[in-house]
Amino acid sequence: MSIGSDALNAHAARLRGTPLSELLTREPGRVTANTLRTGPLYFNFARQSYDAQAWQALLAQAQAADLAGAFRRLFDGEKVNVTEGRSALHTALRGQHSDAVVAREAYASALDVRQRMASLIAQLEATGVTDIVSVGIGGSDLGPRLVADALRDPLPGRFRVHFLSNVDGAAAQRTLAPLDPARTAAILISKTFGTQETLLNGGILRDWLGGSERLYAVSANPERAAAAFDIAPERVLPMWDWVGGRYSLWSAVGLPIALAIGFDRFERLLAGASAFDAHAIGAPLADNIAVRHALTAVWNRNVLGHAAQGVMTYDQRLALLPAYLQQLVMESLGKSVKLDGSPVGVDTVPVWWGGAGTDVQHSFFQALHQGTGIVPLDFVGTINSDAPYAENHLALLSNLLAQSEALANGQHSDDPHRSYAGGRPSTLILLDALTPESLGGLIAMYEHSVYAQSVLWGINAFDQFGVELGKQLANGLLPALKGERAASDPVTQALLAEIAARG
């Protein structure tokens, strides 16, 4: 049996048109059977549109793909990134879950760099610096930005951390305008230190600061980083080619996180991720939350044909989670060929998108409830809030529960304009509270779900060649914009002419 097989399709045909509420009636133990918890994380899959028989067929897919063995290979540092001949040892950045030599060495390296991070932070705390500008893009920005925003205190801590990613000069102007260069330091984060956006913005920061004395860098190419901006080697922290950018927030790329929330809380974030790692590699497939999440995604994408997936965060502090997951999921799974280069043969990643409730209810939820397409959702909420406004939090939770119920069950009306079809599947994820541990575990869950999906589809989750062509063309078109050469594409020629005429 394979993804999209006749057996799975037969289950989908058998269940077609069955209301989700009827599945609850047919299966008295459905809620319990579809509920999983580890540590501070609770997952309820009871409103997904498969029943026990279909779930067993999906579980057989995980067993046939040897997902347990695939997780072991990941943790042991085998070269699961086969197209680049690399390991993907982001799990070793946050814990030791393997006796393999390469994994133990990676963990030791990560510990050493964390000690250096702590030392640099202590040195900065002894200065008059109050603001930090973190310069990076993609995986060097989205993860640190998410965590720093989610876990920061309502009032600024020792450092105010600002993020600059876009090459658009207006972004740099707006970021720097309210800051004092005499009280600001900057961190330049780039795996290769060849990223156009980071190099250009780094140059702006160096000039604005009046030199490189308060520049820091994180790179897998530390010599290039030091040379490009004249940064003293002791202010350059390494990362490694066995850590992909979108999996790197646990490394020295997390320096802005540690500055924003404190080094001790950064380590708690890593501990939370490590606790979920232990679950991912130790839990039986049937009880493995990452496997359940991945198989649910495969069911919705390949068997039911849903082309989009939403994530709605009912905690404003997690408002940046959809943007982070867009890169993690779509850059990892946006592949059309298998590991051997042959066509994958089925649809892979859906379009991921989302937002923060309750704002989104007054935005695009109309389409989710009554539109012609079905978008499966992950709802993410927190049981306990740190804010002192209890009634607001109860209202937030009531909306979270109501939206999941309404999308699933719908409501009939003789007036077709007021009728809700229901049948919109969702997974409800609850954090006991938003803490470094729970956020670390949540992010690790999504990482492992992505990896499991890649194994099921036979694709590589750890390369991203698809982002290169546009960057190569952009570099080639810079001379054309300066009038130093002509473009070969006729549409681009017309656009350059328009820009020249109006510029």
Side-chain angles (χ1 to χ4, degrees), residues 372-387:
T372 56
I374 292 178
V375 180
L377 301 178
D378 280 1
F379 284 103
V380 183
T382 51
I383 297 174
N384 298 289
S385 173
D386 296 333

Side-chain angles (χ1 to χ4, degrees), residues 4-5 22 35 39 65 93 100 105 114 132 207 256-257 284 297 364 409 431 435 461 475 481 485 489 491 495-496 502:
S5 69
E22 185 175 327
T35 296
L93 297 171
E105 290 177 346
R114 288 220 297 276
I132 307 290
D207 295 345
I257 300 173
F364 50 73
N409 298 339
L431 285 61
T435 65
N475 288 332
L481 280 162
R485 51 162 289 189
D489 182 88
V491 177
L495 296 171
L496 286 168
R502 301 288 180 176

Side-chain angles (χ1 to χ4, degrees), residues 428-448:
L428 194 65
I429 304 170
L430 292 174
L431 285 61
D432 289 348
L434 183 55
T435 65
E437 291 86 354
S438 65
L439 182 56
L442 180 67
I443 295 172
M445 189 286 298
Y446 277 108
E447 288 180 347
H448 290 309

Side-chain angles (χ1 to χ4, degrees), residues 172-213:
Q173 184 182 38
R174 289 186 173 187
T175 300
L176 300 181
L179 304 182
D180 178 359
R183 300 176 66 83
T184 302
I187 310 167
L188 312 183
I189 306 174
S190 174
K191 187 171 183 178
T192 63
F193 243 77
T195 306
Q196 181 189 55
E197 294 91 340
T198 303
L199 293 177
L200 286 170
N201 284 329
I204 291 172
L205 261 296
R206 178 190 55 204
D207 295 345
W208 181 78
L209 289 170
S212 300
E213 291 77 11

Side-chain angles (χ1 to χ4, degrees), residues 152-167:
R152 65 179 173 85
D153 291 327
L155 293 174
R158 172 63 182 83
F159 299 106
R160 293 183 293 263
V161 179
H162 316 268
F163 291 89
L164 178 59
S165 59
N166 200 325
V167 74

Side-chain angles (χ1 to χ4, degrees), residues 301-480:
R301 184 69 178 113
N302 296 126
V303 185
L304 302 186
H306 300 317
Q309 166 72 40
V311 56
M312 309 300 158
T313 62
Y314 277 72
D315 189 310
Q316 186 65 35
R317 296 168 294 177
L318 293 174
L320 297 180
L321 181 64
Y324 169 78
L325 291 177
Q326 281 180 331
Q327 188 200 19
L328 175 66
V329 182
M330 295 176 72
E331 192 166 277
S332 297
L333 299 178
K335 314 293 167 59
S336 56
V337 296
K338 295 182 180 180
L339 296 174
D340 62 5
S342 63
V344 70
V346 296
D347 290 324
T348 57
V349 65
V351 174
W352 271 71
W353 61 291
T358 58
D359 282 347
V360 290
Q361 295 173 200
H362 301 267
S363 172
F364 50 73
F365 262 47
Q366 167 65 37
L368 298 181
H369 282 286
Q370 291 187 308
T372 56
I374 292 178
V375 180
L377 301 178
D378 280 1
F379 284 103
V380 183
T382 51
I383 297 174
N384 298 289
S385 173
D386 296 333
Y389 312 111
E391 283 298 317
N392 287 60
H393 190 62
L394 291 176
L396 186 68
L397 285 173
S398 70
N399 276 275
L400 165 64
L401 299 175
Q403 290 299 324
S404 177
E405 180 179 325
L407 286 161
N409 298 339
Q411 180 175 280
H412 175 72
S413 172
D414 292 333
D415 180 353
H417 300 286
R418 291 174 170 79
S419 187
Y420 297 78
R424 271 66 171 167
S426 65
T427 296
L428 194 65
I429 304 170
L430 292 174
L431 285 61
D432 289 348
L434 183 55
T435 65
E437 291 86 354
S438 65
L439 182 56
L442 180 67
I443 295 172
M445 189 286 298
Y446 277 108
E447 288 180 347
H448 290 309
S449 174
V450 163
Y451 176 60
Q453 290 172 65
S454 76
V455 174
L456 290 163
W457 284 323
I459 60 178
N460 185 1
F462 302 111
D463 65 20
Q464 58 279 335
F465 299 119
V467 304
E468 296 302 321
L469 178 59
K471 293 197 293 186
Q472 293 168 8
L473 289 173
N475 288 332
L477 285 170
L478 273 175

